[in-house]
Amino acid sequence: MSLKDLATGLLSSSISKVMTRPFKVLQIAQQTGVVESRYNPVIGASQVVSEFGLLGLFRGGLFDTFRFLPTQVLNIKLKDTINRSLEFLGRGLLKNIISGTVAGAISLTFVYPLDASVVSYTMSNGKKSFIECLFRSNIYSGFAISVIGIPIYRGVYFMLYDIVRELTRNEEGHENPIYFSVYVLSMMVSLVAVFLTYPLDTIRKNQIVHSTSLVNTITEINRQGISAYWSGYGFNIISSLGTFFTLWIYDSLRKNY
């Protein structure tokens, strides 16, 4: 990858993250119960704006962008290295799950403090600085549940992706042009995989924001009902559209510059 491609990718992802940041903030607020309405998106959004202010919807966005680059670089480099060491497995689902899980777990070990700090700072409503959030004592709170979610997500994603790709082929084995593009297909499969692993993310973010143990966090969420595990998922779907914005902006920048 050239320096130009890297810079273009960073710029396009930064722009899309800024555009979708308010939805990510609304998602986390409902996920962690910072607002009273954990299920109604309209009421939840009005409560967040009332408590955080309009600028609060963009809090943590800059630091989230800084987190993106090292995460992606580490994932790509580690996954390529691990894939080469797993050549004996051939090409298949098992190899993708193992390489993605190991690469994700290693990179997460290094960038997790940044990720946790962004979540904590976003929900602090200006009461804490980002530096205070970064150097708190329990910065790795929620790390274990994050690692557990990696193989589950990747397994579901690649399994569904392969199944849907086969269903969209015509009798000659070629991809049927009347079906969705590979980008839309990836997004659809990703949303299903995220839906199935979303409860783990809810547990993780509650651990970060409320500084509670895994057992206490699960107990509290269970007390609120099973639907609490999917609080804010609607906003998550909207913020996921940032992937399309990233690709569109990236292609536009490459064509014009």
Side-chain angles (χ1 to χ4, degrees), residues 85-194:
S85 66
L86 295 175
E87 298 255 337
F88 63 92
L89 291 177
R91 299 177 61 184
L93 178 62
L94 180 61
K95 182 180 178 181
N96 279 324
I97 294 176
I98 294 176
S99 62
T101 299
V102 175
I106 294 174
S107 64
L108 191 63
T109 302
F110 292 102
V111 302
Y112 192 81
L114 280 175
D115 186 30
S117 300
V118 170
V119 174
S120 180
Y121 175 66
T122 301
M123 292 295 104
S124 69
N125 197 14
K127 296 175 182 177
K128 295 180 181 178
S129 68
F130 180 76
I131 298 300
E132 288 178 305
C133 295
L134 182 60
F135 288 100
R136 65 180 188 161
S137 59
N138 56 344
I139 193 62
Y140 276 91
S141 180
F143 177 78
I145 202 73
S146 297
V147 174
I148 292 172
I150 295 173
I152 298 175
Y153 174 84
R154 295 192 70 85
V156 172
Y157 178 89
F158 285 112
M159 181 178 67
L160 290 177
Y161 187 83
D162 288 341
I163 291 174
V164 178
R165 280 291 294 274
E166 286 301 317
L167 292 175
T168 59
R169 295 181 183 276
N170 55 31
E171 295 180 357
E172 288 74 29
H174 301 297
E175 292 183 8
N176 197 322
I178 68 171
Y179 289 97
F180 298 113
S181 71
V182 68
Y183 298 120
V184 178
L185 175 60
S186 297
M187 176 59 70
M188 291 173 61
V189 172
S190 178
L191 288 175
V192 175
V194 168

Side-chain angles (χ1 to χ4, degrees), residues 53-72:
L54 288 175
L55 289 179
L57 293 176
F58 293 91
R59 182 175 288 112
L62 179 62
F63 301 113
D64 192 35
T65 302
F66 289 155
R67 177 192 64 83
F68 176 80
L69 182 58
T71 302
Q72 295 306 311

